[in-house]
Each structure stands twice: as C-alpha cells, then as structure tokens.
Amino acid sequence: MAPKPTTSYRRFYDVNGWLFVSIALGLIGVFMAFPIVHSLWMSLHAGQGTVVEFVGVGNIVRLASDPVFLKALQNTCIFLVIQVPIMLLLALVMASCLNMPNLRFRGLLRTAVFLPCVTSLVAYSVVFKSMFSYDGLVNHALAWLGLIAEPIPWLNDPFWSKVVIIIAITWRWTGYNMIFYLAAMQNIDKSIYEAARIDGISAYRRFVSITIPNLKPVILFTTVTSTIGTLQLFDEPMNITTVGTVFSDNTLTLSMYIYNLSFKFVPNFGYAATVSYVIVLLVAALAAIQFYAARERN
Amino acid sequence: MNFAKRFTIRSTAAAMLGLALGGTGLMASHAANAGEVTIWAWDPNFNIAIMQEAAKRYTAKNPGVTFKIMDMAKADVEQKLQTTLASGVTKTLPDIVLVEDYNAPKYLRSFPGAFEPLSGKVDHKAFANYKVNLMTMGGKVYGLPFDTGTTGMYYRSDLIKQAGFSDKDMQNITWDRYLEIGKQVEAKTGKKMFAMDPQDIASIRIMMQSAGRWYFDKDGKLDIKNNPALKAALETQVKFMQTGVYKPTSGWGEWVGALNKGDVASVITGVWITGSVKAEASQSGKWAVAATPRLNVPGATNASNLGGSSWYVLSSGKEKAAAVDFLNQIYAKDVDFYQTILQSRGAVGSLLASRGGKAYSEADPFFGGDKVWQKFSDWMGKVPSVNYGIYTAEGDAAVAAQLPGLAQGMPVEKALENIHNQLASQIK
C-alpha cells in the first residue's frame, strides 16, 4: 500500500496540472476540435445558405462530375508538379553558392535572397500584376530586347497566366527554403569535404554525393511543407490573375474554389467543406508518399 | 445519442462559445444606441456620400433618429453579410445594407427570413419595373430599388468623325455595325474602338439582357443551349477577339486608364462610368452618348443594364421601423433628393418620378451640350426585365471558362453545351 501523503500529493499536482492546461485545452477545443468535427458534419450537408439538408455522401458523388472542381484540381496539380521541384532545386543551388566560404558580400546576398518572403503577400502581388500587365514593364522590356513583336497577354492567357503564378511563388518562397538548406549545410562536418578534396573529388560530385545525402531530412521537410503550401495556394492567383468579379478559370485553385463556393456563389458551405477535406486528404497522401520515398533503407 | 446527452453537449458548446464571444457581444450592444440606424455600404464617393445626404435630409425632419453609416469594401460587405447570416448570430448585423442586384435573389433564397419584406410599406410601382422584379420572391417585394446600371455607348465624337462617321451613324446601331465602325476607326485614327479584358463577361451580360434573356428563363430554369441571345452574344464576343478591334486591359485601373488617356474611341457600360469618363477634363466636349448597340435576334432592344444596387432592411435590425420609414421618406418619395445626387454624384436613381426633375433635362457641356441624363432615364424605362435567378455568379464563371477556347476557334454550339453542363453540375 502506497503511503497516503504521496497519493494526495500526486492528486494535488494532477489537479493543478489540469487546471494549468485547462484554458489552453478549452481554447483548442473551441477553436480547433469543434470546427474540425463540425466541418466534417457540414460536409454531409448541402443546400443554399441556411437552407440545408442531409445528403450523406452526396457531396463526394458531386465532386466526381463537377468540371470546375476537376479544373481547380488540375490547375493545383500543375502548380505542384512544376513549381515545387523548380523552387527546391533553385533553393539548393543558391544555398550551396551562398555557403561558399570565400564568397564576398555573403550577408548582403543572403538577405537579398531571403527578403521576398518577408514582403507582404498582397503588396508583391500588386507589383507583379502591374509588371505583367499588357502595358507593363515585362512586355516593354521584352519588346525593347526585340524578343516579342506583340505584347504577351500574361494575365489573360491560360498558359501565360500559369507561368506568371509560378514565377511569382518561386520568387517569394525560394529564399525561405534556401534558409533551411543553408542552416543544414553549415551543420555538415567540414572535414568530410576536406577529405573529399584531398581525394580529388570534383565540386559537382561533392555536391551530389556529400551535400545532398546529408540534407536528406531537410529536403524531405521542405518538400512536404512546399507541397502543403502549394495545395493551399490562394493569395497569388486571387490578387494577380483575378479580374473583375469572376475568378479566372485559368489559375483557379482548390482554395479559390472553396472561397467561391462560400462567398461568391450561392453559399454552399457543406460542399465547400467537402472540397476542403479533399485538400486535407491530398496533403496527407502526398506527405505519406514523400516520407515513404525518403525512408532510411538500412 | 439520447436527448439529455445531446442537450448537455450542445449547452456546453454554447456556453464555451458564449464565453468566447461574450466580449464582442457586449461591445456590439453598446455601439447601437436607441434610435441609431446602422447602414453598411461601399464606395465612399458614391453610395456612402449619397446615404449621408439622405440621412441629413431625414434627420432634419426626424431629429430623434441618428445614422451610423459604415464604409467598407464591396467584397467585405458581401462577405460579412454572408458569414453573419450563415452563423445565425444576427446581433452584429446592420439595419440597412446595400446589395448588388445580381446578388439579391441569391441572398433572399439562401437566408429566408433575414430580410424584411417592404411590400405594402413602400410603393414599388413608382420604381423601374426590372429593378422591382429581381427583388420579388414568393409574391413579396424585398428591398428598395436604388441606382440603376442602365447602359449606354459613350464615344469620342471627334475620333468617330475623323473615321468618316457622323453622330447620326452612332444612334441605335447593331453590334455588327459597331464592329464595322470600329474597324474603320482603327484604320483611320490608329485608335482601338474600345478596351476590354478578354476574360470579362460584362459585355455578354449587357448583350443578353438587352434582348431580354439571361442564363435562366422566367421560371428560373437553365436557359443556355437554346438561348439565341446568349449564342449571339458569344458570337459577337468571338468577333471582337478575332478581329482584335479592342485594346486588351486587365483590371479596372487599366480599363479606365484607356478611356482617360484617349487610347480608345468608345466604351459601352453602365451609367455609373460617367464620373470616370468626365474625370479627364481635357477631353471635355469630345465625348458623346448614344444608345447601347443591339443584337441581331428577336426581341433585341437598344437598352440594357449592367450592375446597379438596392437597399435592403434586415429583419433582425433593432431600428427596423425607423429604417423602413427612412427609406420610404427619402428614397421612395423625395424627388428633390434625386436631383441633388444626380448633380453631385451622377447617380441615376430608379424612382421613375425623379426623371421629371430639372436636373435631368440639363445639358452637359462635357458631352457637347447633350442632355445625357434625359437619355439614360429614357433608356431606363426600356430595359427588358430578366430573371437573374440565384446562380448568376456561377453562370458568369461558366461563360468565362469558355472564352479562351472560343478565341481559339471552338464552335459556339460546343461552348454553349459546355456552359450548360458546367452550370447543371453546379446547380444542386
């Protein structure tokens, strides 16, 4: 039998412990757990605004034959497949350049590369919008260089508008990912590189065979976070390629479709919740695949 | 789950929410004093300024009532209204809210009971018929019609003359004729006929309504595949895109900039553009106004509408009675008020009696001494009434999605089919 004082002592601390976390738990319950459970419940309903009825899996059935959803999914996947690899490769190369010990103005260059991701999303979107407009800087520059005869409709054309979005998010997020690589590179033991240099290994081989394997966990981390970010892409297409009252179909993403369903179209919060869960499932599935591909094989 | 259990969970959740929201509720109840009518609207130079004028007139006769006019961005008004109505917490809602006409049927249908029916309290016969129709649901009329989006063709008479046409050539023309004139204008003056965003569907809306058609028929059923007006509108849009008669722009600023910089010879849009056209004083006397072009289909007219908004009273409002009386006294009866807002803000109200006022028959030197307001109010009476239905935004998106394909030579029939399919899948 345990001595009595210990039990009450423990109980005392248990109660106090729960008291300490109760506020946080309450807030998490109200602002996280409840919305998550409620949105799941909502996704089983459909209708207009407050006039809703229970439809069970009806929303999921509707997804399969909804051309707008499929278009948004397609656009989102295009951004994901093209932009994320370009950005991560660029970040890796930049980090490795900025990690060179004999590089001049290192601090300045690092700041310059990181600077885009501390700028305001809306502010840079507005600048991009004006740069890529029909009369904008980019068209003028290209015409001056003699590369184009007619201005390119950057923001209106189905192909070019996607290019603009990819350029914009690459500009904004490359520096962010670079910082992770740079930090990880500085943790790699310098003696490994010295040994490799003495053995006469080329700089390219050193990068591929020493740097990249050592960065594996960080590369996995940036891939997963970039995937999540791209699947939730909203600000750039909303601010750069949206015109007037209608969202451009050319760059419609899943997040924009959710916004449309909730605030632009006849409000159908149930169906919007279902589309949100599609993003959740996609993120989960892609993250699982990435973890599986990058697992330790020994 | 038995009832007691469910009740406990509900009340716990409610209590938790109550705790979290208690602060906000307290603040809100303090903000609304007795006799204060709260109003949400957008555009400080237009709607807000006009509402302030209206409020001033009303308080002069009813000193007990004060007004709190809140200026927000249009998207913010819509989003706030929609989320608050959906949440069911009506405490923070205003007494009066401005709603764009295209959205009105959607709100009335999606949030039954949220808006106060005004039939019987306001004489709706005094307003333009097409505005009243779109705020009627189930035999009741909600809202008070405000500004119209009656369309017209603003053109640079100097450029048109340079191209070999007279002002007479611009009156009551068809879209095809407009296109021909446009080609001539470009050949002779080097200027484009108009500016347009290739993704914008505003001109398609104008064309459709001028022929009395919409994405939906009078019963609210989809009207796409056999809709001659929509078909003709898409064909006209294709002609625009293929002949390159327009200057492509993106966004409002660039579009208005094209007019003010003198890059284009005309603009066909709602009467609310007048202020922006007149903003470039150096072009005074060079502009003129003619009727909207018409389509080559049965029932086509030279009058249409783009945009416009109306005032709605919320049923949950504390000062509901004062709000209704205010709208009725000023917006439904005060003809002099309409003269003031026309002169100061260029607002063409939809109260038919206001057209008899002096301001409407005044000549405007900016438009070469033309009585432009008279023209717009005449067209206002001719705008065909259509049923916007509740899915106009979905219809716009479906049409916009087909424009790139059409520009590349997709048959119009195929585009109509795609629009129909997309809309059919969205209307559930």
Side-chain angles (χ1 to χ4, degrees):
Chain A
M1 200 182 114
K4 223 180 169 188
T6 323
T7 319
S8 68
Y9 180 76
R10 241 196 216 148
R11 267 196 57 204
F12 172 73
Y13 268 98
D14 274 352
V15 169
N16 265 337
W18 282 110
L19 271 179
F20 272 122
V21 294
S22 63
I23 296 172
L25 276 181
L27 289 174
I28 290 171
V30 172
F31 293 108
M32 279 189 71
F34 174 73
I36 290 172
V37 174
H38 189 69
S39 64
L40 200 60
W41 178 240
M42 257 164 67
S43 73
L44 303 175
H45 294 74
Q48 295 119 10
T50 50
V51 193
V52 289
E53 53 173 7
F54 186 82
V55 291
V57 293
N59 282 331
I60 298 167
V61 176
R62 182 179 162 184
L63 277 179
S65 61
D66 180 350
V68 188
F69 166 74
L70 296 174
K71 179 86 192 174
L73 185 65
Q74 187 196 339
N75 286 344
T76 310
C77 289
I78 289 174
F79 290 137
L80 184 73
V81 170
I82 297 177
Q83 194 266 336
V84 173
I86 291 179
M87 173 177 68
L88 294 185
L89 199 69
L90 212 61
L92 205 54
V93 172
M94 277 184 180
S96 139
C97 292
L98 292 176
N99 197 31
M100 283 191 291
N102 46 1
L103 184 74
R104 280 184 164 208
F105 308 115
R106 253 199 308 179
L108 191 74
L109 287 171
R110 283 178 188 176
T111 315
V113 176
F114 185 68
L115 216 52
C117 74
V118 293
T119 51
S120 143
L121 273 165
V122 176
Y124 101 86
S125 298
V126 171
V127 173
F128 264 74
K129 191 179 178 123
S130 88
M131 272 169 55
F132 284 95
S133 71
Y134 202 74
D135 277 339
L137 192 70
V138 175
N139 273 336
H140 279 299
L142 290 176
W144 185 75
L145 289 169
L147 291 173
I148 50 168
E150 276 274 299
I152 297 173
W154 290 102
L155 303 176
N156 313 118
D157 185 78
F159 174 76
W160 291 115
S161 54
K162 288 190 187 72
V163 172
V164 171
I165 296 298
I166 287 174
I167 293 174
I169 42 184
T170 307
W171 179 84
R172 179 125 206 289
W173 294 109
T174 303
Y176 177 79
N177 289 299
M178 185 211 69
I179 290 295
F180 288 106
Y181 293 148
L182 199 57
M185 278 176 190
Q186 283 165 358
N187 277 333
I188 303 173
D189 196 341
K190 292 215 171 42
S191 58
I192 306 175
Y193 287 103
E194 268 165 41
R197 229 186 333 256
I198 291 165
D199 286 348
I201 310 283
S202 69
Y204 170 75
R205 270 284 7 134
R206 287 202 297 271
F207 180 68
V208 173
S209 302
I210 301 175
T211 313
I212 292 189
N214 272 299
L215 290 184
K216 205 164 129 186
V218 184
I219 293 176
L220 176 65
F221 170 77
T222 52
T223 316
V224 172
T225 50
S226 304
T227 304
I228 295 173
T230 312
L231 284 173
Q232 296 176 340
L233 188 64
F234 179 80
D235 307 72
E236 286 85 357
M238 168 85 174
N239 290 311
I240 301 177
T241 48
T242 296
V243 170
T245 50
V246 181
F247 284 167
S248 151
D249 202 52
N250 304 329
T251 50
L252 185 80
T253 63
L254 287 174
S255 297
M256 288 166 84
Y257 190 42
I258 294 170
Y259 182 87
N260 271 357
L261 287 170
S262 310
F263 302 116
K264 287 265 166 185
F265 293 168
V266 172
N268 190 340
F269 299 109
Y271 189 51
T274 311
V275 180
S276 315
Y277 273 96
V278 170
I279 297 186
V280 172
L281 290 178
L282 275 177
V283 167
L286 287 174
I289 291 171
Q290 284 158 5
F291 274 109
Y292 180 77
R295 71 194 187 282
E296 295 293 333
R297 270 174 267 234
N298 46 7
Chain B
M1 198 188 274
N2 64 35
F3 175 74
K5 229 181 184 174
R6 213 152 78 189
F7 182 76
T8 332
I9 291 177
R10 272 211 180 158
S11 52
T12 324
M16 269 150 69
L17 264 173
L19 265 173
L21 299 176
T24 3
L26 212 67
M27 265 153 41
S29 64
H30 266 283
N33 295 322
E36 187 178 61
V37 176
T38 315
I39 299 165
W40 286 357
W42 60 87
D43 197 346
N45 288 319
F46 194 81
N47 299 315
I48 299 287
I50 289 167
M51 207 30 149
Q52 277 160 349
E53 168 70 24
K56 201 178 80 192
R57 281 167 180 263
Y58 189 75
T59 32
K61 286 183 203 153
N62 304 273
V65 181
T66 54
F67 290 88
K68 189 176 169 193
I69 303 167
M70 295 172 77
D71 175 21
M72 285 178 269
K74 177 165 175 279
D76 291 348
V77 173
E78 287 166 358
Q79 202 169 320
K80 252 180 123 162
L81 183 69
Q82 203 154 320
T83 40
T84 317
L85 286 174
S87 74
V89 185
T90 52
K91 231 178 169 177
T92 52
L93 284 172
D95 298 293
I96 299 174
V97 66
L98 186 66
V99 174
E100 192 181 28
D101 288 343
Y102 297 119
N103 286 330
K106 170 175 96 176
Y107 288 144
L108 293 177
R109 173 79 180 270
S110 303
F111 305 106
F115 298 95
E116 189 69 3
L118 299 184
S119 35
K121 295 171 189 163
V122 171
D123 178 20
H124 282 100
K125 284 201 192 76
F127 293 93
N129 190 32
Y130 78 99
K131 291 273 288 187
V132 177
N133 277 353
L134 63 91
M135 55 175 66
T136 307
M137 194 158 279
K140 284 182 187 161
V141 189
Y142 298 80
L144 193 128
F146 175 43
D147 78 309
T148 80
T150 304
T151 58
M153 172 166 61
Y154 297 75
Y155 64 92
R156 288 277 302 272
S157 50
D158 56 332
L159 293 176
I160 295 292
K161 271 182 199 124
Q162 229 176 299
F165 298 96
S166 69
D167 285 329
K168 227 177 185 175
D169 291 323
M170 303 304 283
Q171 307 305 321
N172 297 317
I173 56 175
T174 63
W175 283 98
D176 288 333
R177 176 74 180 146
Y178 177 70
L179 200 68
E180 277 170 37
I181 296 173
K183 283 185 205 159
Q184 279 283 24
V185 167
E186 193 176 356
K188 294 268 170 64
T189 68
K191 306 266 185 190
K192 295 280 186 185
M193 189 61 173
F194 62 106
M196 177 179 81
D197 189 304
Q199 286 176 99
D200 199 358
I201 34 68
S203 53
I204 292 172
R205 281 182 182 169
I206 294 176
M207 291 179 211
M208 250 196 313
Q209 183 157 7
S210 72
R213 302 293 281 253
W214 201 247
Y215 305 125
F216 311 95
D217 62 16
K218 298 276 175 217
D219 307 318
K221 289 210 183 77
L222 255 186
D223 183 19
I224 305 290
K225 281 186 187 168
N226 299 313
N227 184 334
L230 178 57
K231 187 171 178 230
L234 289 177
E235 281 165 349
T236 311
Q237 186 86 3
V238 171
K239 282 180 206 161
F240 290 160
M241 293 193 281
Q242 285 172 350
T243 49
V245 68
Y246 67 94
K247 177 189 164 78
T249 53
S250 62
W252 172 270
E254 231 179 87
W255 183 63
V256 173
L259 311 176
N260 291 347
K261 277 191 274 177
D263 292 347
V264 294
S266 69
V267 56
I268 297 170
T269 193
V271 62
W272 33 259
I273 197 75
T274 310
S276 303
V277 172
K278 288 171 81 169
E280 184 54 53
S282 68
Q283 292 173 359
S284 180
K286 292 179 181 170
W287 284 90
V289 177
T292 315
R294 66 174 186 279
L295 289 172
N296 241 335
V297 295
T301 61
N302 283 101
S304 190
N305 180 78
L306 181 69
S309 50
S310 300
W311 301 105
Y312 287 78
V313 176
L314 285 139
S315 298
S316 56
K318 252 194 190 165
E319 301 300 328
K320 197 162 66 179
V324 173
D325 187 58
F326 159 65
L327 290 176
N328 194 27
Q329 292 303 326
I330 306 296
Y331 284 92
K333 286 180 182 162
D334 193 341
V335 173
D336 186 48
F337 164 69
Y338 281 98
Q339 311 301 310
T340 310
I341 61 170
L342 177 74
Q343 276 169 333
S344 61
R345 305 285 161 189
V348 176
S350 48
L351 184 72
L352 296 171
S354 67
R355 300 185 296 174
K358 221 181 89 203
Y360 278 82
S361 54
E362 259 170 34
D364 191 334
F366 191 91
F367 296 102
D370 203 353
K371 292 174 182 170
V372 281
W373 302 123
Q374 197 65 62
K375 284 185 173 177
F376 275 104
S377 53
D378 286 346
W379 296 326
M380 182 176 91
K382 293 178 189 155
V383 176
S385 168
V386 296
N387 175 16
Y388 288 146
I390 62 172
Y391 294 105
T392 287
E394 283 86 338
D396 290 345
V399 171
Q402 297 307 318
L403 292 181
L406 282 168
Q408 283 160 13
M410 179 208 277
V412 172
E413 284 77 15
K414 177 76 188 143
L416 285 171
E417 200 184 317
N418 291 348
I419 294 167
H420 177 91
N421 291 343
Q422 176 165 336
L423 265 176
S425 84
Q426 299 244 291
I427 298 174
K428 288 271 162 82

